[in-house]
């Protein structure tokens, strides 16, 4: 195999993680790294799959449980939940959360803005009688 062949076969950033997550979502329950390796195919080494799973675990995208001398793995959430987790991590990494959220909201399409408003309204009606959304089981700070 030439260097050019290796470069042509090289996957894009995050492609392996996406394949591993897709395999986990299709599993009936917790599965081993070997099971994941069989499902995603290719000539990946077992250690490569374990490395990918470990990186996903560090990102809180998967969970694991001890099973004998190894682990079994499950996705931490469905696709929407994982996208929300990524969005929260980006937001948490910024100093001016208000500016980031304002920029995000102003870039929404009218349909997405209506959907977001409806979701926020329904969250308000569930969170508390005082209209202040709860945060981790406590009332949100109002900034007063």
């Amino acid at each position: 195999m030439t260097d050019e062949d290796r470069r042509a076969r090289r996957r894009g950033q995050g492609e392996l993680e996406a394949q591993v997550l897709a395999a986990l979502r299709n599993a009936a329950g917790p599965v081993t790294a070997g099971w994941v390796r069989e499902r995603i195919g290719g000539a990946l080494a077992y250690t490569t799959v374990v490395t990918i799973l470990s990186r996903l675990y560090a990102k809180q995208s998967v969970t694991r449980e001890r099973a004998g001398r190894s682990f079994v793995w499950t996705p931490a959430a469905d696709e929407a939940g994982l996208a929300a987790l990524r969005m929260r991590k980006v937001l948490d990494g910024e100093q001016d959360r208000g500016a980031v959220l304002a920029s995000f909201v102003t870039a929404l399409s009218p349909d997405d803005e209506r959907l977001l408003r409806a979701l926020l309204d329904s969250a308000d009606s569930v969170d508390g009688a005082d209209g202040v959304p709860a945060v981790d089981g406590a009332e949100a700070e109002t900034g007063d």
Side-chain angles (χ1 to χ4, degrees):
M1 179 180 284
T2 67
D3 285 339
E4 187 175 321
D5 291 336
R6 283 189 197 97
R7 280 192 296 273
R9 287 180 6 130
R10 193 168 183 102
R11 291 173 175 87
Q13 183 177 7
E15 187 177 339
L16 275 177
E17 287 183 357
Q19 290 175 341
V20 167
L21 283 170
L24 289 174
R25 282 193 297 274
N26 289 326
V31 295
T32 64
W35 185 94
V36 172
R37 181 176 175 253
E38 289 173 9
R39 295 314 179 277
I40 61 176
L44 289 178
Y46 175 83
T47 54
T48 300
V49 174
V50 171
T51 298
I52 295 164
L53 286 164
S54 297
R55 288 179 180 164
L56 289 168
Y57 179 76
K59 294 177 182 180
Q60 300 176 343
S61 297
V62 299
T63 61
R64 67 182 184 192
E65 293 179 36
R66 179 70 70 184
R69 293 181 8 208
S70 63
F71 292 101
V72 290
W73 306 83
T74 55
D78 60 10
E79 287 185 59
L82 290 172
L85 177 63
R86 288 191 300 271
M87 292 167 65
R88 279 193 305 274
K89 285 182 179 182
V90 168
L91 185 59
D92 289 345
E94 298 297 324
Q95 290 191 6
D96 190 348
R97 295 171 71 91
V100 173
L101 287 170
S103 180
F104 176 77
V105 169
T106 58
L108 291 175
S109 71
D111 287 343
D112 286 344
E113 186 177 339
R114 279 190 290 279
L115 176 59
L116 180 58
R117 284 185 191 281
L119 291 169
L120 289 171
D121 288 345
S122 69
D124 281 348
S125 67
V126 171
D127 286 333
D130 60 2
V132 177
V135 177
D136 293 331
E139 288 186 358
E141 293 181 26
T142 59
D144 294 328

